[in-house]
Amino acid sequence: MKLAVVGGGSTYTPELIDGFARLRDTLPIEELVLVDPAADRLELVGGLARRIFAKQGHPGVIRTTSDVDAGVADADAVLLQLRVGGQAARNQDETWPLECGCVGQETTGAGGLAKALRTVPVVLDIAERVRRANPNAWIIDFTNPVGIVTRALLQAGHKAVGLCNVAIGFQRKFAKLLDVAPGDVHLDHVGLNHLTWELGVRLGGPDGEDLLPRLIAEHGDAIAEDLHMPRALVDRLGVVPSYYLRYYYQHDAVVRELRTKPSRAAQVAEMERELLAMYGDPALDEKPALLAKRGGAFYSEAAVDLAASLLGGGGSPHQVVNTYNNGTLPFLPDDAVIEVQAAVDGKGARPLPVPRLDPLYAGLVAGVTAYEDLALDAALRGGRERVFKALLAHPLIGQIEYAEQLTDQLIAHNREHLAWA
């Protein structure tokens, strides 16, 4: 079995490598290729990756290359975890929207649109290279904004499934609170990528007992603290929103908070400098503790599980992924990409039935889906007017004056990445 990781020079990658090493019985990789244009980072990450495999006794071979075509050739699955423009572009995404009083974030609002415009064309080019090299290969997309990028891949006819670590993070936290094995926890996880709610927490599978009311009653303070939202809100909703709902439910408070501290991108850039220095130490043969602060917790376990199921191995039968709606949420078009529990096997991902979504959540999901339609159109065809319409449609913007200002700012800060600009 051969896997390729495009964006393999990311400081995330040792987390992924550690998962591949620990879970080698689930996903028996014979060859792993890390692909990245940044040769200096790739050398550091690749060296640590080989040492992790060696320490844990993994027999697989790890190669590195800056050549996408060579890297994906004959791969059974290709994982995408790239960041077009690096942390410098992310820092812009998180700062210039604040000038208009709007949230600055890399996947939500104007910053998220900027990332989509930079990313979609690059991902589609890579996917075409994968298709030419091996039309049967699966593409697993961890590149944000996952929902928009996955929809672009699916609409172009690629064998693709989107992956996010929000759901597996909730699964692990709830399992710890309930003192059960993570695999025993099934989430009624419903919505769009970075716009989801846990409507139920069931033991044993989709038909198991719902323990969410008990979790909220007994551990509501801890849950709310993790979300950075008031306990009273969690009690009133009776469900657990993802952390990203803060940007909608507490927009103005979050803007005030973001204006008083360094951007997350600046913090991550400093962490990356420290991590890369660590990765260069030939004595280091495990992922460093600092990596836990970088983000992406449990990503490796989710990626192994998904790849194993898609490639006919021993992955879980039900997993939270991003895939076509196909009637699951009846108020959305079939070709919308949603994030829900799905049955996953060698044929792909098929959403499981979900509980009816209350209008409080369905309205927001419908509004953001409409924005994502327009965002993808802007990413594929370009043009100032398409960017403006996407921003005007976004529930966090929605005013002519803001949309006009943000359109000009977005184009000015991303001109080098936008062929049409």
Side-chain angles (χ1 to χ4, degrees):
M1 179 184 297
K2 175 181 175 179
L3 264 68
V5 180
V6 179
S10 167
T11 53
Y12 269 136
T13 299
E15 166 71 26
L16 190 62
I17 299 300
D18 178 72
F20 287 158
R22 289 185 292 103
L23 303 171
R24 56 185 174 272
D25 291 340
T26 303
L27 190 67
I29 299 171
E30 296 166 295
E31 182 180 1
L32 177 65
V33 184
L34 305 180
V35 184
D36 203 292
D40 52 344
R41 291 170 63 109
L42 192 58
E43 181 180 357
L44 295 174
V45 173
L48 175 56
R50 294 186 186 97
R51 296 193 296 272
I52 291 174
F53 263 30
K55 181 179 181 180
Q56 299 198 31
H58 195 297
V61 174
I62 296 178
R63 295 193 296 109
T64 59
T65 180
S66 295
D67 185 332
V68 173
D69 293 319
V72 304
D74 301 319
D76 297 289
V78 178
L79 279 68
L80 304 181
Q81 57 172 37
L82 52 145
R83 182 183 294 280
V84 179
Q87 294 299 331
R90 177 182 179 176
N91 185 64
Q92 292 181 351
D93 294 344
E94 294 177 341
T95 51
W96 54 262
L98 296 174
E99 297 172 18
C100 296
C102 295
V103 158
Q105 212 275 332
E106 65 162 338
T107 61
T108 301
L113 177 60
K115 193 173 196 304
L117 297 182
R118 295 193 303 269
T119 305
V120 166
V122 174
V123 165
L124 289 178
D125 176 68
I126 293 169
E128 285 299 327
R129 293 165 183 263
V130 173
R131 180 151 53 191
R132 289 197 298 267
N134 179 8
N136 293 316
W138 280 102
I139 295 176
I140 297 174
D141 178 60
F142 193 67
T143 296
N144 280 320
V146 168
I148 295 173
V149 172
T150 301
R151 187 168 182 179
L153 288 165
L154 290 172
Q155 286 188 350
H158 298 290
K159 293 177 61 177
V161 180
L163 181 65
C164 180
N165 69 322
V166 167
I168 195 172
F170 274 128
Q171 183 196 47
R172 296 305 195 264
K173 289 174 184 176
F174 292 155
K176 185 175 182 180
L177 293 173
L178 293 168
D179 194 25
V180 299
D184 291 336
V185 174
H186 178 96
L187 302 175
D188 290 341
H189 179 101
V190 183
L192 310 176
N193 180 242
H194 289 184
L195 194 83
T196 52
W197 297 263
E198 308 307 324
L199 305 184
V201 178
R202 303 181 184 278
L203 283 186
D207 299 320
E209 178 187 4
D210 182 10
L211 298 181
L212 182 58
R214 171 183 153 191
L215 276 167
I216 293 175
E218 296 180 2
H219 303 287
D221 288 342
I223 292 170
E225 184 177 357
D226 280 347
L227 300 173
H228 298 277
M229 295 187 203
R231 162 72 187 268
L233 176 67
V234 178
D235 288 334
R236 292 172 72 181
L237 296 179
V239 304
V240 177
S242 80
Y243 171 85
Y244 289 89
L245 267 298
R246 277 194 84 215
Y247 300 118
Y248 296 84
Y249 293 162
Q250 299 175 286
H251 177 273
D252 292 355
V254 171
V255 168
R256 289 193 296 270
E257 174 188 312
L258 293 174
R259 283 172 163 170
T260 63
K261 62 182 184 182
S263 69
R264 175 64 179 164
Q267 297 172 30
V268 169
E270 179 56 37
M271 269 185 255
E272 288 197 331
R273 284 189 284 270
E274 294 182 50
L275 286 168
L276 289 170
M278 293 178 182
Y279 295 172
D281 180 356
L284 183 67
D285 56 9
E286 61 186 12
K287 62 177 183 180
L290 178 61
L291 188 55
K293 298 180 180 179
R294 170 68 179 82
F298 309 114
Y299 160 44
S300 63
E301 295 172 34
V304 167
D305 205 17
L306 180 54
S309 292
L310 293 173
L311 298 177
S316 304
H318 300 149
Q319 299 171 42
V320 174
V321 297
N322 286 259
T323 191
Y324 271 150
N325 177 46
N326 283 336
T328 308
L329 298 178
F331 56 90
L332 295 183
D334 285 348
D335 65 350
V337 165
I338 60 174
E339 185 172 287
V340 294
Q341 287 278 3
V344 184
D345 57 24
K347 297 179 180 178
R350 297 169 300 284
L352 300 179
V354 301
R356 175 182 177 273
L357 204 56
D358 186 281
L360 179 61
Y361 317 124
L364 190 51
V365 168
V368 175
T369 298
Y371 150 75
E372 291 189 348
D373 288 346
L374 294 166
L376 181 53
D377 186 44
L380 293 174
R381 298 200 290 160
R384 186 187 188 282
E385 190 66 13
R386 293 187 181 95
V387 174
F388 169 78
K389 287 179 179 178
L391 291 169
L392 188 63
H394 200 293
L396 294 182
I397 301 166
Q399 297 184 55
I400 297 171
E401 181 183 355
Y402 290 166
E404 291 281 16
Q405 293 178 33
L406 291 168
T407 297
D408 290 338
Q409 289 269 46
L410 186 155
I411 294 171
H413 284 94
N414 291 275
R415 197 175 299 277
E416 66 181 292
H417 301 291
L418 305 176
W420 52 267

